[in-house]
Amino acid sequence: MTDTLLGYIQGADVEWKTLGEACDTLTAPSKLTKKFYQQSGKIPIIDQGEKFIAGYADGIYKTVSADRYVVFGDHSEHIKFVDFEFIQGADGLKILKAKPEVDAKFLYYAFKNFYQREQSYKRHWTKAKETKIPIPSLKTQKKVVEILDKMTDYVTELTAELTLRQKQYSYYRDQLLAFPSQSDSDESLSIKWTTLGEVARLKNGSDWKNLTAGDIPVYGSGGEMNAKVGKSAYNKPTVLIPRKGSISNLFYLTKPFWNVDTIYYTEIDDKQIVPKFFYYFLQTANLEGMSTNPTRPSLTQAILDKVSIPLPPLKLQFKIVEILDKFQALTEDVSGLLPEEIALREKQYTYYREQLLTFSTDSARASH
């Protein structure tokens, strides 16, 4: 992006209008409640949730015809650009069609740039539609869209690459740990099955706030907390298993730590099972499906103690850990770089979006 180009765009003749003046609102011919959402189908469902596509339905419902729209979550305040046929999901979605003098994608970028989120659960369109946005010539609008599209496309490509690497790692991990079930077990493989309670003891955590400060990290169900203490709960290889909240968020530690009461640590019998193998296998277990609370995911010791655990020979366990460690290292190399690059590019996109949409007041014309 050159200063000359920025100067050309920012110096362009511009008229300021409200969002409500720059677009029309459309009414969808049909709306689906969440109970009708499918994992796959012919027509995507767009609702006011965070996910871009909330689900799918088959072509038995009246759809919003393919065109270029900006959709706004009246309660959620999520803003999306949609350029394909879709079905509206549930209520609270405002479907905006740009006026002829406004490019739809420019409207989307301007909406995201100038709208001030209220971040409360109420209807927001009444206030949002009063947001003032600049309307330069269509030629200038399209130039702004072209530049910002290139930036967002690059972020999308990076995110897709990161997702692909993570899926690749998960696939090979699951394949390596897909042992025959106990009833189908091949004796020649020397695979025994036991339960978690037979190879590890779950130990509760406790509050850290009365401990003296130190350099030992404190862990909760969300991971390492913003706290350091002078006492450790355990200092041998272990797997931390959340009992409330993000219950599939496992941690493998070899360093001293303190854990709070939302997460268990495990005393692992390393004569039966390699601690890192135990960690990798638990990643494949459907811990979320064992939750005792549909509102706030929760696990109990009684449930976890009964989780089936395979026990191949220790030599094979070490070999599997060696292979998965290499895969994970490759994934982490990419995962460490890509999120930084994605965050950098998103900051760059936000900066240039603000710059490209900051038009000189000297060239402004009032809306009629």
Side-chain angles (χ1 to χ4, degrees), residues 181-197:
S181 64
Q182 194 157 8
S183 58
D184 297 329
S185 184
D186 186 342
E187 292 185 3
S188 65
L189 295 175
S190 300
I191 306 296
K192 298 179 181 178
W193 283 84
T194 186
T195 60
L196 186 150

Side-chain angles (χ1 to χ4, degrees), residues 246-282:
S246 305
I247 58 178
S248 60
N249 201 22
L250 305 174
F251 303 93
Y252 175 72
L253 298 180
T254 57
K255 62 184 179 182
F257 63 91
W258 186 268
N259 61 307
V260 300
D261 66 354
T262 58
I263 193 166
Y264 298 111
Y265 76 84
T266 48
E267 293 180 348
I268 302 167
D269 182 355
D270 58 11
K271 291 183 173 58
Q272 295 190 74
I273 192 165
V274 175
K276 194 70 174 287
F277 176 86
F278 179 61
Y279 164 71
Y280 280 133
F281 182 78
L282 283 181

Side-chain angles (χ1 to χ4, degrees), residues 174-181 191 193 277 281 310-312 316 320:
D174 293 351
Q175 291 298 307
L176 282 169
L177 296 171
F179 296 102
S181 64
I191 306 296
W193 283 84
F277 176 86
F281 182 78
L311 290 179
L316 178 55
I320 290 171

Side-chain angles (χ1 to χ4, degrees), residues 75 272 325:
H75 292 108
Q272 295 190 74
D325 277 351

Side-chain angles (χ1 to χ4, degrees), residues 32-50:
L32 292 185
T33 57
K34 287 190 176 180
K35 67 179 181 180
F36 293 107
Y37 290 16
Q38 300 172 182
Q39 292 294 317
S40 61
K42 295 179 180 178
I43 309 295
I45 298 170
I46 303 292
D47 66 12
Q48 65 170 325
E50 184 174 2

Side-chain angles (χ1 to χ4, degrees), residues 94-115:
K94 294 295 181 182
I95 304 170
L96 313 179
K97 182 75 169 63
K99 294 284 182 68
E101 68 274 17
V102 183
D103 181 87
K105 197 65 172 291
F106 181 87
L107 180 74
Y108 164 74
Y109 284 129
F111 197 166
K112 287 180 72 74
N113 192 71
F114 290 100
Y115 175 62

